[in-house]
Amino acid sequence: MNFTLLITTVLTGLAFVGVVVMLAKLISPRTYNAQKEEPYECGVPTRGRSWMQFRIGYYLFAILFLMFDVETMFLFPWAVVMRSLGPAGLFSVLFFLFILVLGLAYAWRKGALKWQ
């Protein structure tokens, strides 16, 4: 790729972003009041402490969700080039899925998926 083309593309992108941000600042409506300055604008004032502890089950459930979401991201490129990979590609993705199913079975057996 031509170096000057790359620099031109990057500078054009940065200029476009800068123009759009400045234009939004110039034409956007502005209203200031004390309620809009609060961290969470919902109309209900906070009472007591804002920080509270959550059960560890919520975090475990979120981590398991992210794990299988990342799995989907790894499977999509494989599905696009599946025919060109041949049997070796099929066996490697089956091994990948086998490891993930083992992880799911382990989490299930440990009770990480129970919503109590």
Side-chain angles (χ1 to χ4, degrees):
M1 180 180 225
N2 194 353
F3 186 69
T4 57
L5 179 64
L6 177 67
I7 294 296
T8 306
T9 305
V10 168
L11 289 177
T12 304
L14 289 173
F16 181 72
V17 168
V19 166
V20 169
V21 167
M22 291 305 293
L23 187 64
K25 287 253 186 218
L26 289 174
I27 66 173
S28 64
R30 291 180 200 91
T31 57
Y32 298 105
N33 60 30
Q35 192 174 21
K36 286 197 176 280
E37 297 297 322
E38 290 182 9
Y40 182 65
E41 180 187 342
C42 69
V44 178
T46 55
R47 284 181 256 153
R49 291 179 27 184
S50 297
W51 292 98
M52 56 190 219
Q53 289 184 337
F54 292 100
R55 288 189 10 231
I56 191 70
Y58 295 119
Y59 297 110
L60 290 175
F61 207 79
I63 288 172
L64 285 171
F65 173 77
L66 286 175
M67 181 179 75
F68 287 103
D69 193 37
V70 169
E71 168 206 356
T72 305
M73 287 176 27
F74 281 132
L75 286 178
F76 181 75
W78 171 82
V80 171
V81 295
M82 181 183 69
R83 289 182 190 230
S84 64
L85 293 177
L90 177 65
F91 290 126
S92 64
V93 84
L94 287 177
F95 181 71
F96 175 69
L97 289 173
F98 176 71
I99 297 294
L100 283 172
V101 167
L102 282 179
L104 177 64
Y106 177 77
W108 197 336
R109 185 171 177 112
K110 287 291 186 177
L113 300 177
K114 289 183 182 174
W115 199 260
Q116 297 175 359

